[in-house]
Amino acid sequence: MRAQAVALRRAVAIEANDGWNISNHETALGISWMKSRQNAEQEWTHDVLKVVRSLGKKNFHLNDVYARAAELQRLHPDNQHVEAKIRQQLQVLRDQGILRFIDDNGNYELLM
């Protein structure tokens, strides 16, 4: 009986230890994935800002940026929703104080 209890405790300890290792491994993978996702988002933000600045004007329209969607698609070939991503990144740039939404008709002002 005692031998069975010891064997059971060992089995539980091994299982618990393996679970802990898997958990740590998954956490490390999750952090790595999050960092790569953050880098990809930063690249998108940077690329959209480059497009906006290359327009050469302080006030611009969403369609001006859409006109460069093919360029952004070449830079980010895995993204199949480039126009949605452009809108999202314009919101990020707004939140960072780099541009301002002038109205709900797609007009923007570059502040920096």
Side-chain angles (χ1 to χ4, degrees):
M1 183 77 166
R2 182 166 159 79
Q4 287 176 336
V6 170
L8 180 59
R9 272 189 249 131
R10 282 186 187 153
V12 170
I14 289 169
E15 187 175 314
N17 189 35
D18 285 348
W20 184 83
N21 288 335
I22 291 169
S23 176
N24 282 346
H25 182 67
E26 288 174 348
T27 300
L29 289 175
I31 289 169
S32 176
W33 176 82
M34 286 174 49
K35 283 183 181 179
S36 68
R37 184 167 167 87
Q38 279 180 326
N39 290 338
E41 288 298 315
Q42 289 172 347
E43 287 176 18
W44 261 104
T45 305
H46 174 76
D47 293 339
V48 170
L49 180 58
K50 266 178 41 178
V51 166
V52 168
R53 287 188 171 149
S54 74
L55 297 173
K57 50 189 177 180
K58 184 174 179 166
N59 294 321
F60 64 95
H61 192 273
L62 179 59
N63 288 333
D64 297 328
V65 184
Y66 282 169
R68 306 280 294 278
E71 178 183 333
L72 292 165
Q73 179 69 61
R74 279 191 300 277
L75 293 171
H76 304 278
D78 293 336
N79 191 304
Q80 302 303 311
H81 307 282
V82 174
E83 289 186 356
K85 192 65 166 184
I86 289 170
R87 291 189 305 274
Q88 178 193 47
Q89 294 310 305
L90 291 172
Q91 290 173 4
V92 168
L93 293 168
R94 177 207 56 203
D95 294 346
Q96 293 176 352
I98 295 171
L99 57 82
R100 173 175 80 91
F101 291 5
I102 295 174
D103 58 30
D104 292 334
N105 296 319
N107 293 298
Y108 299 83
E109 177 184 12
L110 183 61
L111 302 173
M112 305 175 121

